[in-house]
């Protein structure tokens, strides 16, 4: 079992909370983990990425090789395309469809969506709306994990444990909302694949 | 024994705490910042009252750390690679004084310049100073090496460099920890003149440093962190340093590497192992993150003996960080096939945060400078450097911490008018003050704008030594009271700020304008904490 995942988005969108939840679940499942983050300069509204690797064997490189990622999980559609050089032949692109438009030359959204749809294995999800519907707009990241859950190689229950661990301090309601977001993402992905 | 998830920086910090460190000194700088921050978060550090405050700059940090070593305790100073330039005077000379309590100089390099002005390789600095260096390849080694480094530092009375690079500093992985050691007792050096570098003493101690090189080499030859892994195919031998070893092994996950490998994680180079691999193999591929240091050493100037491949002959790129694909290509000649980035994808450079006070400062400044034309603003390093990019394109320089004031002075000396310096509050107390003193002494005709967001913003909001002290400092340095002005950089004050700038430009002498408003990020954090 080995999963190499590129997590990406725009600085401030909180991609690291995705890493933390999956990371907790991975460690609980006795997997090895390496996660290279980006700090500093690029956090100020610039593009951010994290190389996230889990495996049942020792992991050497902190960076995922180009052409080696099993999955790109992106909380922003244009950003999901920036890391295509990392994606493997049969890799998955799982991305939020809602743009984060903070540049003057942001392309037409249809063009971005069209590029994403060219990728064989993709899930385009309106994670912001789904999170809003369940009454927790800030849980968009958990919706994204839910959408990716099937391909993560980790038990769904471990992901729920991860959420309990990370949000436990903030009270039961926060935990439940985030679990709901996770489940909603999963449900969407199941329908999407059909 | 416990297994915890740590960044390379955090593993290093935890190792230091567990190895009985009594003090850590640093000035923030990506990718080294999290080392001291980890100690600040540690309960044990609190219980033991380990020194863990930020210093004004890397030089003061290095000197304080040396002082703690002088007093017999284990200590670490941390910085980013360019910080070592600032601390270089202390660093070079501390190789000659040597250490008393275990002393580690942790330097995080930033190959590919993810958040830096250059990609200088600190191993070269260590070689220059003749100081032994550890270069961990993973988070566990970051942790374990600290114990060895402190021991070796005390055994040979020498500071030890710990060299990290971005991808290790900022990558997280499981680390098994050990039980914690006691701190050293206060104990002065046996030789009361060890730290007195008068020429006569310095000459003697320098000879000792030279003599000790043999011992350092022996330590490297015996080091558990340097590894010789034999291979059947001697057509090629591979020397892989630090994190480059991981990129190599990434390519041999499921199969054995046919070539002999020498993993280097401790310097000076282990001579015996290097002699072995170079004599046994027809060709040597050198994988090192940063400069081609070992490559140059082995090649020699005339390049007339060994068949060496690496960054100098184009087998690997001369600049930038390595990765598994580049290493694969260097070994097999195979390029990785990969998808292209679609044309639709546009660059997304970092930007000022919404509501940032720097925005107001630059809006006013641009309005005023439009009256004089381009090329008058010498700036510095921090969030406010983002004004080099559109939409502001307001600044004309960013070289090293503090260089705004001194370059503006030099330009004014050359006749540039107006000559404007823009510097941040933390950068000002880092190395702007001395330059301002120069300008005051000569009554240079210039305007210094200290854009004060009351924090060290660029690196994540560490305490700023300038907090509430800027006016006092400027007065103390001799700037005339009437020409030190604080103003709140709010959109509604933009016109007033522009007027103030015009007025101070008209004054023939040193003026300091201090727009002061807290960073929106630190403010937000404070408000959510409440
Ligand atoms: C010698 C050196 N040390 C540290 C750094 C890293 N660094 C760059 S900017 C900066 C902080 C600047 O803070 P401040 O001047 O207050 O400006 P702000 O980012 O808050 O606007 C630091 C620590 C560096 N580039 N060079």
């Amino acid at each position: 079992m080995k999963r190499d995942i590129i997590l990406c988005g725009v600085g401030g969108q909180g991609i690291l909370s995705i890493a933390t939840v999956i990371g907790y679940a991975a460690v609980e499942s006795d997997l090895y983990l390496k996660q290279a983050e980006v700090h500093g300069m690029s956090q100020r509204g610039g593009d951010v990425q994290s190389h996230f690797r889990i495996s049942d064997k020792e992991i050497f490189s902190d960076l995922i090789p180009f052409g080696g990622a099993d999955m790109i999980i992106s909380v922003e559609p244009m950003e999901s395309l920036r890391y295509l050089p990392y994606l493997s032949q049969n890799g998955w692109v799982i991305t939020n469809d809602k743009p984060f438009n903070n540049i003057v030359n942001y392309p037409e959204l249809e063009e971005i969506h069209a590029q994403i749809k060219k990728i064989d294995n993709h899930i385009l999800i309106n994670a912001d709306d789904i999170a809003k519907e369940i009454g927790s707009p800030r849980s968009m990241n958990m919706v994204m994990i839910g959408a990716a859950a099937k391909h993560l190689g980790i038990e769904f229950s471990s992901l729920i444990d991860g959420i309990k661990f990370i949000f436990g301090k903030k009270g039961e309601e926060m935990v439940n909302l985030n679990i709901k977001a996770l489940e909603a993402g999963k449900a969407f992905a199941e329908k999407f694949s059909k | 024994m416990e297994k915890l998830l740590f960044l390379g920086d955090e593993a290093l910090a935890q190792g230091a705490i567990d190895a009985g460190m009594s003090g850590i000194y640093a000035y923030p700088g990506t990718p080294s910042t999290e080392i001291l921050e980890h100690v600040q978060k540690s309960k044990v550090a609190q219980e033991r009252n380990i020194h863990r405050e930020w210093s004004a700059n890397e030089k003061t940090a290095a000197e304080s750390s040396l002082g703690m070593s002088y007093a017999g305790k284990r200590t670490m100073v941390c910085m980013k690679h360019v910080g070592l330039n600032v601390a270089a005077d202390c660093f070079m000379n501390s190789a000659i004084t040597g250490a008393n309590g275990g002393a580690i100089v942790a330097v995080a390099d930033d190959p590919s310049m993810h958040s830096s002005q250059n990609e200088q390789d600190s191993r070269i600095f260590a070689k220059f100073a003749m100081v032994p260096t550890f270069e961990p390849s993973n988070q566990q080694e970051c942790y374990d090496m600290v114990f060895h480094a402190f021991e070796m530092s005390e055994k040979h009375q020498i500071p030890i460099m710990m060299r990290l690079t971005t991808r290790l500093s900022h990558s997280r992985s499981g680390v098994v920890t050990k039980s914690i050691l006691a701190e050293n007792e206060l104990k002065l050096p046996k030789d009361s003149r060890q730290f007195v570098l008068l020429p006569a003493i310095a000459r003697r101690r320098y000879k000792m440093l030279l003599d000790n090189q043999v011992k350092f080499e022996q330590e490297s030859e015996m080091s558990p962190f340097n590894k010789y892994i034999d291979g059947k195919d001697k057509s090629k031998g591979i020397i892989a340093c630090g994190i480059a070893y991981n990129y190599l092994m990434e390519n041999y996950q499921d199969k054995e590497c046919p070539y002999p490998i020498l993993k280097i994680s401790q310097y000076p180079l282990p001579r015996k192992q290097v002699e072995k691999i170079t004599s046994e193999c027809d060709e040597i591929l050198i994988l090192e993150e940063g400069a081609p240091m070992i490559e140059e050493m082995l090649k020699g100037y005339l390049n007339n003996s060994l068949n060496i491949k690496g960054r100098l002959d184009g087998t690997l790129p001369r600049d930038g960080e390595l990765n598994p694909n580049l290493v694969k290509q260097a070994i097999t000649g195979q390029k990785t096939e990969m998808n292209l980035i679609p044309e639709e994808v546009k660059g997304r450079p970092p930007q000022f945060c919404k509501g940032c006070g720097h925005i107001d400062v630059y809006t006013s400044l641009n309005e005023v400078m439009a009256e004089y034309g381009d090329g008058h603003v010498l700036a510095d390093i921090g969030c406010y450097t983002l004004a080099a990019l559109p939409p502001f394109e307001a600044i004309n320089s960013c070289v090293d911490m503090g260089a705004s004031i001194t370059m503006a002075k030099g330009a004014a000396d050359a006749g540039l008018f107006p000559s404007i310096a823009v510097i941040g509050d933390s950068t000002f107390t880092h190395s702007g003050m001395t330059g301002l003193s120069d300008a005051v002494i000569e009554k240079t005709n210039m305007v210094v704008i200290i854009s004060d967001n009351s924090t060290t913003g660029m690196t994540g909001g560490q305490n700023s030594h300038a907090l509430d002290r800027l006016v006092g400092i400027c007065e103390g340095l001799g700037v005339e009271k009437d020409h030190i002005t604080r103003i709140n950089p709010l959109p509604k004050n933009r016109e007033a700020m522009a007027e103030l700038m015009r007025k101070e430009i008209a004054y023939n002498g040193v003026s300091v304008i201090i727009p002061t408003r807290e960073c929106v990020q630190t403010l937000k954090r404070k408000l959510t904490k409440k």
Side-chain angles (χ1 to χ4, degrees), chain A residues 44, chain B residues 27-30 33 58 79-86 115-117 356 358 380-385 400-401 423-428 430-431 451-459 462 464 519:
Chain A
R44 314 258 177 287
Chain B
Y27 181 75
T30 315
T33 312
E58 292 84 356
M79 61 200 77
K80 70 182 293 170
H81 56 343
V82 288
L84 187 55
N85 301 335
V86 178
S115 14
S116 308
Q117 322 89 292
C356 172
H358 293 320
D380 226 298
I381 310 186
C383 289
Y384 51 94
T385 316
D400 64 70
M401 301 271 293
I423 187 168
D425 52 309
S426 179
T427 306
F428 180 71
H430 179 286
S431 5
S451 192
D452 174 12
N453 57 6
S454 308
T455 191
T456 317
M458 184 89 259
T459 43
Q462 294 77 22
S464 165
C519 163

Side-chain angles (χ1 to χ4, degrees), chain B residues 406-422:
Chain B
T406 28
M407 282 183 71
K409 179 180 185 303
D413 293 343
L416 183 73
F417 175 81
S419 188
I420 314 277
V422 179

Side-chain angles (χ1 to χ4, degrees), chain B residues 236-248:
Chain B
K236 197 195 297 283
I238 303 172
I239 297 181
C241 312
I243 201 168
Y245 173 74
N246 291 347
Y247 299 147
L248 172 64

Side-chain angles (χ1 to χ4, degrees), chain A residues 2 4 9-10 23 27 32-47 49 51 53 57-67 76 78-79 81-89 100-103 105-107 111-112 115, chain B residues 3 5 7 30 34 114-115 137-139 166-168 170-174 243 245-247 249-250 252-254 321-325 336-353 383 386 457-461 521:
Chain A
K2 174 176 93 63
D4 286 340
V10 180
V27 172
Y32 288 93
L33 175 151
K34 269 199 176 175
Q35 184 215 332
E37 313 173 351
V38 181
H39 298 203
M41 226 22 201
S42 38
Q43 286 176 314
R44 314 258 177 287
D47 52 275
Q49 53 161 321
H51 290 234
R53 316 190 73 187
K57 289 200 209 80
E58 189 184 352
I59 303 164
F60 284 99
S61 171
D62 297 84
L63 293 177
I64 296 170
F66 289 107
E76 207 279 348
M78 183 176 82
E79 293 308 318
L81 299 170
R82 194 184 300 281
Y83 304 97
L84 285 184
Y86 285 102
L87 196 66
S88 67
Q89 288 287 309
F100 188 103
N101 190 343
N102 63 345
I103 50 173
N105 55 346
Y106 196 95
E111 290 172 20
I112 293 285
Q115 285 292 345
Chain B
K3 191 166 183 178
L5 269 186
L7 294 176
T30 315
E34 292 80 1
H114 296 281
S115 14
S137 69
N138 59 36
Q139 292 78 357
T166 304
R167 298 303 184 172
L168 181 53
H170 284 174
S171 172
R172 212 177 283 283
S173 188
I243 201 168
Y245 173 74
N246 291 347
Y247 299 147
M249 297 315 285
E250 180 71 25
Y252 295 101
Q253 289 273 33
D254 320 308
E321 62 184 354
L322 298 175
N323 62 44
N325 307 79
T336 309
E337 279 191 34
M338 52 177 127
N339 300 311
L340 298 175
I341 304 175
E343 263 173 41
E344 285 81 2
V345 177
K346 300 292 183 280
R348 203 190 291 261
Q351 304 174 358
F352 285 119
C353 306
C383 289
L386 293 173
M458 184 89 259
T459 43
Q521 297 291 351

Side-chain angles (χ1 to χ4, degrees), chain A residues 90-131:
Chain A
N90 302 312
W92 280 83
V93 171
I94 298 169
T95 180
N96 191 3
D97 71 1
K98 175 117 182 279
F100 188 103
N101 190 343
N102 63 345
I103 50 173
V104 288
N105 55 346
Y106 196 95
E108 288 298 323
L109 191 57
E110 288 91 75
E111 290 172 20
I112 293 285
H113 284 181
Q115 285 292 345
I116 293 166
K117 285 175 187 160
K118 276 193 206 161
I119 299 153
D120 287 340
N121 295 324
H122 75 270
I123 298 177
L124 195 57
I125 175 171
N126 47 353
D128 280 276
D129 288 349
I130 293 176

Side-chain angles (χ1 to χ4, degrees), chain B residues 116-423:
Chain B
S116 308
Q117 322 89 292
N118 76 26
E119 58 171 26
Q120 67 186 62
D121 187 329
S122 299
R123 295 176 307 160
I124 296 180
F125 236 125
K127 185 169 176 289
F128 186 23
M130 290 182 277
V131 157
T133 301
F134 287 77
E135 189 186 13
S137 69
N138 59 36
Q139 292 78 357
Q140 186 68 53
E141 280 189 347
C142 286
Y143 180 86
D144 294 337
M145 278 178 175
V146 180
F147 289 75
H148 283 256
F150 275 139
E151 259 173 47
M152 186 174 162
S153 173
E154 285 169 3
K155 180 173 160 198
H156 296 290
Q157 292 201 337
I158 185 82
I160 306 276
M161 180 185 285
M162 189 74 75
R163 186 232 189 188
L164 275 67
T165 48
T166 304
R167 298 303 184 172
L168 181 53
S169 281
H170 284 174
S171 172
R172 212 177 283 283
S173 188
V175 173
V176 180
T177 60
K178 306 182 202 187
S179 47
I180 182 165
L181 304 181
E183 292 176 65
N184 287 356
E185 297 292 329
L186 192 76
K187 190 171 137 267
L188 294 181
K190 267 197 224 110
D191 171 5
S192 65
R193 302 168 92 184
Q194 179 188 338
F195 287 81
V196 187
L197 293 187
L198 278 170
I201 304 171
R203 270 180 226 119
R204 185 167 53 80
R205 290 216 57 97
Y206 184 53
K207 280 213 167 63
M208 277 169 65
L209 176 65
L210 293 173
D211 289 344
N212 274 338
Q213 296 303 309
V214 186
K215 291 185 199 154
F216 299 163
E217 217 168 82
Q218 282 165 357
E219 291 278 357
S220 290
E221 281 163 357
M222 320 258 287
S223 166
F225 304 111
N226 291 336
K227 246 188 340 200
Y228 197 101
I229 308 158
D230 212 355
K232 285 193 205 84
D233 186 348
K234 314 280 189 207
S235 64
K236 197 195 297 283
I238 303 172
I239 297 181
C241 312
I243 201 168
Y245 173 74
N246 291 347
Y247 299 147
L248 172 64
M249 297 315 285
E250 180 71 25
N251 287 292
Y252 295 101
Q253 289 273 33
D254 320 308
K255 49 185 187 278
E256 226 169 84
C257 177
Y259 312 111
I261 300 170
L262 174 55
K263 167 183 179 276
I264 302 283
S265 278
Q266 186 175 332
Y267 306 77
L269 286 180
R271 184 174 295 273
K272 287 204 179 106
Q273 286 96 319
V274 173
E275 278 169 359
K276 181 170 152 74
I277 198 163
T278 49
S279 64
E280 279 181 357
C281 300
D282 304 336
E283 172 189 303
I284 300 290
L285 172 66
I286 300 183
L287 308 172
E288 46 193 333
E289 192 72 304
M293 180 182 90
I294 298 179
E295 200 179 337
E296 279 180 349
M297 283 169 71
L298 297 196
K299 229 174 180 155
Y301 182 68
L302 293 175
N303 188 18
N304 53 6
S305 53
L306 301 168
N307 186 3
I308 307 276
K309 306 270 184 219
R311 288 184 183 270
L312 292 172
D313 70 334
T315 303
L316 288 162
R318 176 63 184 79
D319 62 339
E321 62 184 354
L322 298 175
N323 62 44
N325 307 79
L326 286 173
V327 169
K328 178 179 171 192
Q329 195 179 335
I331 297 171
T332 64
Q334 280 172 339
K335 270 209 163 129
T336 309
E337 279 191 34
M338 52 177 127
N339 300 311
L340 298 175
I341 304 175
E343 263 173 41
E344 285 81 2
V345 177
K346 300 292 183 280
R348 203 190 291 261
Q351 304 174 358
F352 285 119
C353 306
K354 243 196 207 127
C356 172
H358 293 320
I359 293 176
D360 301 296
V361 173
Y362 283 116
T363 306
S364 304
L365 184 62
N366 272 359
E367 183 191 316
V368 175
M369 296 322 289
E371 297 155 21
Y372 293 98
D374 290 339
H376 294 268
V377 182
L378 289 304
D380 226 298
I381 310 186
C383 289
Y384 51 94
T385 316
L386 293 173
L389 308 173
F392 291 102
E393 301 181 86
I395 64 173
N396 307 107
S397 74
C398 158
V399 180
D400 64 70
M401 301 271 293
S404 56
I405 298 181
T406 28
M407 282 183 71
K409 179 180 185 303
D413 293 343
L416 183 73
F417 175 81
S419 188
I420 314 277
V422 179
I423 187 168

